[in-house]
């Protein structure tokens, strides 16, 4: 009976993860995407949020936001992803390394494709201190930061590091999102859509690749009957 309960438990966990971690984020992204596709200027609640954030503008925060936002891709996400990949390579965790590479690189492709498809123009409520040349939806910084944190949470799941990664990663993701709103280069829906899309993809990829499992399950080999 114990042998029968284990697969059922895994199946329930799989479907719950698929529902909460993949289906729900994709549903939220779809609602945002359809609305943006029809009304490119965004939702009614976005302008008040941007104006409230802009009301806090001061020279010191300008410099802080311009510096911090760079950690959302090249100064933060890329170095941490590279170091994580080298650690996994040293530990010979090939499935985890494959998951890291596939998820992060495909995140770039997904973001660029979505930007070109939706062609959403960036906000122009005020003169921004750090203008961006490409399209707005979904936010690339939001996607890259969320993807990295989600991947590291998956890789450390069940270890003592997971809680620390989850808390510090959440602060990092929110901080990067704040810089994009403060600098006036994204609508809030760009941020939310980027979070939802990257979260769904990171979890879906983890279900497919199963990064914390070895390539060969030794327990299956040892428990297999000997017919010789």
């Amino acid at each position: 009976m114990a042998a029968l309960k284990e697969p059922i438990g895994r199946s329930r966990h799989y479907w719950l993860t698929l529902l909460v971690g993949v289906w729900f984020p994709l549903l939220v992204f779809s609602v945002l995407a359809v609305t943006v596709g029809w009304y490119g200027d965004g939702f009614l609640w976005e302008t008040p949020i941007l104006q409230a954030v802009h009301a806090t503008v001061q020279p010191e925060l300008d410099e802080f936001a311009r510096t911090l936002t760079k950690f959302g891709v090249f100064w933060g996400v890329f170095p941490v992803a590279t170091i994580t990949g080298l650690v996994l390579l040293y530990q010979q965790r090939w499935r985890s390394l494959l998951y890291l590479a596939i998820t992060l690189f495909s995140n770039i492709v997904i973001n660029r494709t979505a930007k070109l498809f939706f062609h959403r123009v960036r906000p122009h409520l005020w003169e921004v201190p750090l203008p961006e040349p490409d399209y707005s939806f979904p936010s690339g910084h939001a996607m890259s930061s969320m993807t990295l944190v989600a991947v590291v949470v998956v890789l450390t799941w069940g270890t003592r590091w997971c809680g620390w990664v989850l808390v510090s990663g959440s602060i990092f993701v929110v901080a990067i999102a704040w810089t994009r709103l403060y600098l006036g280069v994204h609508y809030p829906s760009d941020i939310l859509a980027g979070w939802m899309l990257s979260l769904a993809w990171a979890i879906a990829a983890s279900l497919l690749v199963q990064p914390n499992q070895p390539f060969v399950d030794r327990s299956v080999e040892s428990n297999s009957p000997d017919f010789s």
Side-chain angles (χ1 to χ4, degrees), residues 68 71-72 77 139 141-151 153 165-181 191-192 194-196 198-199:
L68 180 59
F71 285 85
V77 171
S139 167
H141 283 69
M143 286 191 66
S144 62
S145 58
M146 177 61 82
T147 299
L148 175 66
V149 171
V151 166
V153 167
V165 170
L166 189 59
V167 173
S168 60
S170 298
I171 295 173
F172 172 69
V173 166
V174 172
I176 295 300
W178 169 81
T179 66
R180 307 312 285 167
L181 299 178
I191 305 294
L192 183 57
W195 285 348
M196 294 297 102
S198 56
L199 185 62

Side-chain angles (χ1 to χ4, degrees), residues 103-124:
T103 308
L104 291 179
F105 282 114
S106 60
N107 167 75
I108 300 174
V109 177
I110 293 172
N111 179 256
R112 294 302 175 187
T113 303
K115 283 180 180 290
L116 291 175
F117 179 80
F118 288 102
H119 275 74
R120 189 185 197 185
V121 179
R122 292 180 183 269
H124 47 274

Side-chain angles (χ1 to χ4, degrees), residues 42-197:
F43 301 85
L44 295 177
W45 47 267
E46 299 197 86
T47 298
I49 291 177
L50 286 172
Q51 290 175 338
V53 175
H54 186 62
T56 64
V57 166
Q58 50 185 294
E60 295 79 8
L61 278 180
D62 287 351
E63 185 60 31
F64 176 72
R66 283 196 295 264
T67 301
L68 180 59
T69 200
K70 296 176 182 178
F71 285 85
V73 182
F74 297 108
W75 287 16
V77 171
F78 182 75
V80 171
T82 302
I83 294 172
T84 303
L86 291 175
V87 171
L88 295 175
L89 180 64
Y90 176 77
Q91 295 177 340
Q92 297 185 1
R93 293 176 56 182
W94 309 119
R95 193 183 291 272
S96 298
L97 183 60
L98 177 65
Y99 169 66
L100 175 73
I102 289 177
T103 308
L104 291 179
F105 282 114
S106 60
N107 167 75
I108 300 174
V109 177
I110 293 172
N111 179 256
R112 294 302 175 187
T113 303
K115 283 180 180 290
L116 291 175
F117 179 80
F118 288 102
H119 275 74
R120 189 185 197 185
V121 179
R122 292 180 183 269
H124 47 274
L125 300 177
W126 59 82
E127 184 177 352
V128 300
L130 194 65
E132 299 282 355
D134 59 349
Y135 296 109
S136 180
F137 183 91
S139 167
H141 283 69
M143 286 191 66
S144 62
S145 58
M146 177 61 82
T147 299
L148 175 66
V149 171
V151 166
V152 178
V153 167
V154 168
L155 294 178
T156 58
W157 191 259
T159 71
R160 59 176 180 169
W161 300 103
C162 186
W164 183 87
V165 170
L166 189 59
V167 173
S168 60
S170 298
I171 295 173
F172 172 69
V173 166
V174 172
I176 295 300
W178 169 81
T179 66
R180 307 312 285 167
L181 299 178
Y182 180 89
L183 295 171
V185 294
H186 277 296
Y187 292 100
S189 58
D190 298 335
I191 305 294
L192 183 57
W195 285 348
M196 294 297 102
L197 186 57

